[in-house]
Amino acid sequence: MKNLLLLFGLFFFTVVCCTHKEQISKEAHLSEINDWHEKQMASLKSETGWLNLIGLYWLDEGIQSFGSGETMDLRLDNIDFPEEIGMFELKEGKVFFLPAVDGVISSSGELKSKTMIFDADDQISEALTYESLNWTIIKRSDAFGVRLRDHEADAVRTFEGVEQFPIDIRWRLIADFIPYQPVKQIPITNVIGQTSLNSSPGYLQFEWEGKLYKIDALGNENDEELFLIFADETSGGETYGGGRYMYVKSADNQGKIILDFNKAYNPPCVYTPHATCPLPPRQNILDLPIAAGHKNYGDH
């Protein structure tokens, strides 16, 4: 009898424990979303945020000049900077930079000669700075681009935050995670028209007002978080037409995921035209209005 009671007690504790993890009070939920939102706003304004992104230049094979001068191949639209800051060279998948002025800084100090700053094969990716400018190389499919930031950009200085829908605990849902066996490869297209295959370990299934909906998740089988790209009936109106993003913690041992649409946020393309945002796949365009999370920003 004691063994039976002990087993019942353990079962009861497990059920209460798991249920407790899924439940949250309105007050605690409000605090959680407000804290998440504040961190999102701080991230946008940070040195690695999207508000200070002022340029994205795609490199051709060979040498291209960079600066504010009218004859520059990669022209910086700000005459406060030198006419020529330096030259980029793309050669067989490697990117080099040759400074034309003093004060171009890498992690190793000031650049004085031509230096390799990007090589995907050898995992070399060097950030360079000049005064308030910062640039790195990005690779999208077989294209190489210079991502340029200005840490003193007006967009950062004038930013007052993003409006969000009223926080509503009803949009904090418990979804079922249905794994794909094997992992599925999903084509994702970005705003510049490139399409690439992305791994999907499964999809989230949730219920809203008696109807079931599905969202394919992106990531790997053992990831702690999964990435969601979705659009809904608010897209193109109250929210950005190119959809919104979310991260969710991977499924627990019961196959459950907390899906809180109050944490849906805008893609970088809402804040800068110099981003390469992935768009929602067709199956992630939902036929319901999700009145939760971040609203649109600016004139998008």
Side-chain angles (χ1 to χ4, degrees), residues 4-23:
L4 183 60
L5 290 174
L6 179 60
L7 287 173
F8 177 80
L10 289 173
F11 173 78
F12 178 78
F13 174 78
T14 302
V15 172
V16 171
C17 177
C18 293
T19 303
H20 177 70
K21 287 181 181 178
E22 296 173 357
Q23 293 178 342

Side-chain angles (χ1 to χ4, degrees), residues 41-97:
M41 299 303 98
S43 176
L44 286 170
K45 297 181 68 173
S46 72
E47 290 191 351
T48 57
W50 296 108
L51 290 169
N52 62 27
L53 193 59
I54 63 167
L56 178 59
Y57 309 96
W58 296 105
L59 296 173
D60 296 321
E61 192 77 10
I63 296 173
Q64 288 120 100
S65 54
F66 166 58
S68 66
E70 292 185 4
T71 61
M72 294 294 101
D73 299 311
L74 312 178
R75 187 167 183 267
L76 171 62
D77 189 20
N78 189 330
I79 60 173
D80 292 335
F81 293 101
E83 288 193 7
E84 184 173 9
I85 297 173
M87 291 185 292
F88 292 94
E89 181 181 5
L90 173 60
K91 184 178 181 180
E92 298 177 349
K94 298 177 176 62
V95 180
F96 302 83
F97 187 77

Side-chain angles (χ1 to χ4, degrees), residues 71-208:
T71 61
M72 294 294 101
D73 299 311
L74 312 178
R75 187 167 183 267
L76 171 62
D77 189 20
N78 189 330
I79 60 173
D80 292 335
F81 293 101
E83 288 193 7
E84 184 173 9
I85 297 173
M87 291 185 292
F88 292 94
E89 181 181 5
L90 173 60
K91 184 178 181 180
E92 298 177 349
K94 298 177 176 62
V95 180
F96 302 83
F97 187 77
L98 174 63
V101 293
D102 294 332
V104 177
I105 308 297
S106 72
S107 60
S108 303
E110 185 172 357
L111 255 62
K112 294 294 187 180
S113 59
K114 186 169 80 169
T115 302
M116 182 191 298
I117 61 172
F118 186 86
D119 182 356
D121 292 337
D122 289 339
Q123 297 184 331
I124 296 172
S125 182
E126 183 76 63
L128 300 182
T129 62
Y130 176 77
E131 296 182 357
S132 64
L133 298 179
N134 171 280
W135 60 91
T136 54
I137 304 300
I138 64 171
K139 186 175 186 291
R140 296 292 183 268
S141 187
D142 57 353
F144 297 82
V146 180
R147 172 171 280 168
L148 180 65
R149 300 177 183 274
D150 184 352
H151 293 157
E152 297 178 2
D154 288 342
V156 178
R157 180 176 51 81
T158 59
F159 182 67
E160 295 182 351
V162 178
E163 186 180 357
Q164 56 185 335
F165 288 97
I167 297 170
D168 188 345
I169 199 169
R170 293 178 302 167
W171 284 110
R172 184 184 186 272
L173 308 171
I174 306 301
D176 292 309
F177 179 71
I178 313 300
Y180 288 126
Q181 300 292 344
V183 170
K184 191 175 181 180
Q185 296 297 312
I186 295 176
I188 300 291
T189 301
N190 63 26
V191 294
I192 60 175
Q194 297 172 326
T195 300
S196 60
L197 292 177
N198 291 253
S199 295
S200 174
Y203 64 89
L204 280 66
Q205 181 172 275
F206 66 94
E207 182 179 343
W208 181 259

Side-chain angles (χ1 to χ4, degrees), residues 284-297:
N284 284 5
I285 300 175
L286 307 176
D287 60 344
L288 81 159
I290 299 178
H294 285 172
K295 294 185 177 183
N296 207 347
Y297 176 80

Side-chain angles (χ1 to χ4, degrees), residues 165 168 170-173 204-216 228-241 243-244 246 259-262 264 280 282-293:
F165 288 97
D168 188 345
R170 293 178 302 167
W171 284 110
R172 184 184 186 272
L173 308 171
L204 280 66
Q205 181 172 275
F206 66 94
E207 182 179 343
W208 181 259
E209 295 184 347
K211 184 177 178 180
L212 290 177
Y213 298 90
K214 299 177 181 180
I215 301 178
D216 271 331
L228 310 182
I229 308 173
F230 72 94
D232 64 275
E233 290 184 351
T234 70
S235 302
E238 290 180 285
T239 65
Y240 177 54
R244 288 181 289 171
M246 282 183 66
L259 177 61
D260 194 339
F261 284 109
N262 292 280
R282 183 181 301 274
Q283 66 271 24
N284 284 5
I285 300 175
L286 307 176
D287 60 344
L288 81 159
I290 299 178

